[in-house]
Amino acid sequence: MVIINPDHIDEVLQGFRGQRFTTAEFKSSFQSEYPDDWDMLVLNYGEGGKDCGRNYSANVYLGQRLKDRVRRGVIRLVEFVPAPTNWGNDDIASWEYL
């Protein structure tokens, strides 16, 4: 089920061309550039983060869309790094735009 325009994911990714970035950094850019899309994700899945009580959240949704871009050869998963406080997991994915 498509909740948001998938082109918006790609448009935000353009801002990371040639850079490494974490899912949290992508989320922050996505929230800034497409606040209505972010609100729709939160409405459907909850925001997520530590102690949110959900296994699937808006954060996870964005992470899954990034994994889709790996399969397409747009970005690659570099490594897992320590997550920001209150992220919900101890580690977070670091990506590289190809």
Side-chain angles (χ1 to χ4, degrees):
M1 178 160 108
V2 176
I3 301 284
I4 60 170
N5 183 338
D7 292 341
H8 293 173
I9 299 291
D10 297 318
E11 290 168 14
V12 173
L13 274 175
Q14 291 296 316
F16 294 100
R17 184 175 287 273
Q19 299 177 39
R20 285 188 178 185
F21 60 95
T22 66
T23 306
E25 291 166 332
F26 179 83
K27 171 192 168 183
S28 179
S29 291
F30 186 85
Q31 285 177 294
S32 295
E33 292 184 40
Y34 295 102
D36 292 341
D37 283 358
W38 177 252
D39 290 345
M40 181 62 66
L41 292 176
V42 170
L43 179 67
N44 280 274
Y45 302 119
E47 186 163 354
K50 188 173 180 134
D51 298 325
C52 75
R54 295 174 177 254
N55 291 324
Y56 195 90
S57 66
N59 293 347
V60 175
Y61 181 93
L62 290 180
Q64 293 295 318
R65 302 298 73 79
L66 293 174
K67 285 182 183 179
D68 291 343
R69 277 33 181 208
V70 169
R71 286 188 282 277
R72 295 182 193 170
V74 176
I75 63 175
R76 74 179 182 97
L77 176 62
V78 177
E79 63 184 341
F80 286 90
V81 296
T85 306
N86 294 326
W87 181 254
N89 292 324
D90 293 335
D91 298 315
I92 191 169
S94 174
W95 313 89
E96 182 176 38
Y97 194 107
L98 302 175

